[in-house]
Structures are given as structure tokens and as C-alpha cells.
Amino acid sequence: MSEQTQERGTAGRRRVVVVGAGMAGVQTAVALREQGFTGTVTLIGAEPHQPYDRPPLSKAVLLGKAEGSAFDVDFEALGIELHLGREVLGVRPGDHELDTTTGPVPYDVLVLASGAEPIRLPGTEGVPGVHLLRTLDDAERLRPVLARQHDIVVVGAGWIGAEFATAAREAGCAVTVVEAADRPLTGALPAEVAAPMAAWYADSGAVLRTQARVERVEPGAVVLADGTRLPAGAVVVGIGARPATAWLAGSGIALGAHREVVADDGLRASAPDVYAVGDCASFPSARYGERLLVHHWDNALQGPRTVAANIVGGPSGEPPAVYDPVPYFWSEQFGRFVQYAGHHPSADTTLWRGDPSGPAWTVCWLRETRLVALLAVGRPRDLAQGRRLIESGTPMNPELLTDPARPLKAATA
């Protein structure tokens, strides 16, 4: 707690304002109460809906199997003030004040949890039938598209593109996925690991076109750079996301190369009494020796506990909480459950467990003899054991590790 905050009131009267009502924002508010914070907690969200979870949007909500995915949180009982449908326009750290569409909001401690926003395909503004899939409203607009079994073109073969293509095929739509790179998941996984996943598209009845650049989108069609014209009753764009931080312009809060908030190992931003968590923030990882920007659900779930601990503060003399997780995410696509833990770029060895042409296999990345990351397809036990081995830094025996019949925990040196 800074001297400014101490001057503004005792711990019991402090006002924490959280910007963003997604997973990271909601969990920060809840964690503050769970950790004994008794001051005011205000949660501000730009969308008018009750705060909701995003992963079901590309699955149950999109297919009409669920009406929504609202968090099971009793905000009133927890004494959390909700302000929904309220856009935050800026922040003045020197004044400890937010600017919003309904007027200024003072704070003693501010938590930035504004998430990420999808990258739009240039030239598609105002073109009918072009969709993104990030919000509940996006999913609601896409549900009738799938129900009418349109020909659908998905732009981008990343995680969200694959998940949407899966749902569209399940709904009976004809699906073509176009990807500018030479393989799916470029930038997320090495070529040799992503290559086996390309076959999953054809197995599901979807068409995957790689090295295919979109020249333009017209009503009812996507035109590629080579002149190919793809019929499209709807176009879904999934070419990535970026931190939603444009509203911080002029605030003096330090942003990184991807326009994310640069947080320290306790998730503090550069301005006094400001924290940042979830998709909008990067943090230094001592485990991996670099700064990480993690756009996944588990990061938005885990980070808030560190933020809350540092706002509440521990006993005198206790060091601040440090955030250095083993990143984790999962994806359900084309009938397969894909899980990833860790961070592989620093690895010097890649080892396989199982046949990548089969239904279940794992890739392990080691640095020297220690596991730093793994990708598990249909092998959840590998993931669970591997995640613990990454956390502990246990040396592995590479020869034992490549035996898919041997539990990972029994493949140590």
C-alpha cells in the first residue's frame, strides 16, 4: 500500500475499483472478500449482461445447448457493487480517478482487468455476414447462422477458429477454414507439433486451406489473393486478440510491445495503487526467464489471488505475493481434448509420447533434463502429472519419458 493510499483512509475504508467484469475481474472481486478485505469493492463492466464465463460461448451457448454462462456468484451477498453497461474512458492516476461514460469514479486501489479484444479483418467493417466470437452477443448472433446450416468460411486456423469450425460442423454446416500460414496454430506451436492437427479438419468434414490470404470479403463470398472465390453465407474471423488497453492512452501507465499493461511479479502496474491481471497484462516469469503475456482462462482465474493478497497485505514483515504460474489452457476441437501446460520456447529437446496420427499422444519439451512444457491430446493424466513435474523442476529420464505406457511421474531421473 502506498503512502497515498494510507493517507486516503484506513484499510477498512479503502475503495477498490476493478475495471472489467470477465473472469479476471470477477475473480479479483471475489478473492478480495475471501481474503478478508472489508472495504468497498466496485466492479465495472462495459457489457450490460451479468458477468459470464467465455469458454462455453464457442461450445454450448453457440450450439443452443445453453442460454448463457453467467458466473454463479452472489455479488450482493459478497458486498460487491456491480456497474454494468458502463464504459471506462480513461484513468488519471495522479488524481486516483477513473473517467467513465456516467462520470468520474474515485478509487484508492485500481485493478485493470479489461481483457483482450479480437483483431478485426481489415476491410470487413460494415460487410454483412461477418462475425467475431468473443462476447455473449457475438454467440447469440451466430446461433441462428449455425441453425440455418449456412456455408461458413472461418478466417484463421488458431484455437478459436478450430473450436468454431468444430461447432459449425456439429451443427451441419459446410465449413472452409482459410489460414495465411502453411499450417494451423502457427505462432502457438512449432511446425512439427501443429502438422498432425491439420488432418483433424478433413476428418471432421471441414476444408482447411493453408497459405491462403484473404483479398476481400463481399456479401456472400470470400475472395482469396489467388482469385479463388469461396461462397460464404457467413464469415467468422478468428485471427487473434490483443489487450484491450486503448482506454489507457495518456494515463502514463507503462504498456509493452503488444500494448499490454507491464506488471511486476506481484501484478502491480507502473502507477501507484494500480494492479493489472488477466489478458490485458504481462508479468515477468522467473521460472522461464522472460516476460509472459498469457491469453487464457486459467491465467484469468489464478492471477486475481495474487492481486487480492497484495491489496489486502499479509502480516508485517511478510514478503508480497509473487505470481509465477505454470501457464495452462485447453481446447476442445474435432472430438479431441487438447491440453497445454508450461512455456516451450526455451526448450532444447522435444520428445513424443505416442503416435501423433493416433487419437492420443503427448509432446514434451525439456530444457536440459527438466520438463518446461507439454501438449497432451487425449491424455489428461499426462497433463496433470506433467504440470506438477514442471512446477517442481524434477529432472526427467528422456528414455523413460518417451514410453507412452509409463506414467510421466515414473519417468524421472
Side-chain angles (χ1 to χ4, degrees):
M1 183 168 64
S2 75
E3 291 179 1
Q4 283 177 297
T5 298
Q6 288 175 323
E7 290 169 4
R8 286 169 181 269
T10 64
R13 296 205 313 268
R14 284 160 61 201
R15 300 161 296 186
V16 176
V17 176
V18 182
V19 177
M23 171 63 81
V26 167
Q27 288 300 319
T28 298
V30 171
L32 282 165
R33 292 302 188 218
E34 288 177 344
Q35 296 186 32
F37 182 77
T38 58
T40 301
V41 178
T42 301
L43 186 63
I44 301 177
E47 294 183 56
H49 310 290
Q50 276 292 112
Y52 60 87
D53 204 6
R54 293 190 190 279
L57 297 184
S58 62
K59 304 171 184 72
V61 175
L62 188 61
L63 291 170
K65 297 177 181 178
E67 288 305 311
S69 55
F71 292 114
D72 184 19
V73 174
D74 190 335
F75 295 99
E76 185 176 357
L78 289 171
I80 297 169
E81 299 177 5
L82 272 184
H83 295 273
L84 302 176
R86 188 172 187 178
E87 187 177 356
V88 178
L89 306 174
V91 58
R92 289 171 280 116
D95 298 328
H96 277 59
E97 206 162 60
L98 286 173
D99 292 316
T100 78
T101 48
T102 56
V105 176
Y107 66 84
D108 293 317
V109 181
L110 176 65
V111 181
L112 309 176
S114 51
E117 57 192 6
I119 297 172
R120 296 179 180 274
L121 187 65
T124 59
E125 284 290 334
V127 178
V130 177
H131 300 263
L132 299 167
L133 181 52
R134 180 74 184 181
T135 68
L136 180 59
D137 287 341
D138 291 337
E140 293 290 351
R141 282 189 289 267
L142 277 163
R143 273 167 66 166
V145 173
L146 266 59
R148 290 194 293 269
Q149 298 187 335
H150 280 295
D151 287 347
I152 294 177
V153 173
V154 180
V155 182
W159 299 112
I160 191 65
E163 290 184 3
F164 178 80
T166 299
R169 286 298 300 138
E170 187 175 334
C173 300
V175 179
T176 300
V177 180
V178 296
E179 168 59 52
D182 61 357
R183 62 185 185 276
L185 294 167
T186 184
L189 295 173
E192 68 272 18
V193 178
M197 300 177 175
W200 299 356
Y201 289 79
D203 290 346
S204 75
V207 175
L208 173 63
R209 298 181 64 119
T210 56
Q211 295 182 306
R213 293 190 174 276
V214 175
E215 179 71 25
R216 65 184 182 277
V217 178
E218 302 173 349
V222 172
V223 181
L224 302 181
D226 65 3
T228 302
R229 188 181 185 86
L230 303 174
V235 178
V236 177
V237 178
I239 56 175
R242 57 185 158 220
T245 57
W247 64 279
L248 292 172
S251 68
I253 293 173
L255 301 181
H258 301 282
R259 308 303 295 168
E260 85 283 6
V261 180
V262 175
D264 69 9
D265 62 5
L267 298 181
R268 301 170 195 82
S270 62
D273 306 315
V274 179
Y275 293 79
V277 66
D279 289 2
C280 72
S282 65
F283 56 90
S285 170
R287 185 190 310 277
Y288 291 106
E290 61 182 284
R291 179 166 289 275
L292 300 182
L293 174 60
V294 181
H295 280 187
H296 293 295
W297 185 90
D298 192 67
N299 180 52
L301 175 68
Q302 305 294 342
R305 297 169 191 165
T306 299
V307 171
N310 285 326
I311 292 173
V312 172
S316 179
E318 184 175 298
V322 170
Y323 189 60
D324 194 6
V326 173
Y328 166 73
F329 71 89
W330 80 96
S331 176
E332 295 176 68
Q333 51 184 270
F334 308 119
R336 293 165 174 84
F337 187 42
V338 183
Q339 295 172 284
Y340 178 97
H343 183 64
H344 67 267
S346 64
D348 52 40
T349 305
T350 303
L351 298 173
W352 295 74
R353 287 167 58 81
D355 181 358
S357 66
W361 46 276
T362 297
V363 179
C364 298
W365 287 275
L366 277 67
R367 184 172 62 230
E368 296 178 349
T369 62
R370 287 174 169 77
L371 192 66
V372 294
L374 80 161
L375 176 86
V377 177
R379 293 180 65 97
R381 185 174 297 178
D382 275 6
L383 189 288
Q385 294 179 9
R387 192 175 183 182
R388 289 192 289 270
L389 290 165
I390 295 170
E391 288 171 347
S392 64
T394 304
M396 305 298 295
N397 181 319
E399 187 175 337
L400 299 179
L401 187 149
T402 55
D403 178 4
R406 181 183 295 271
L408 263 179
K409 63 182 181 182
T412 56

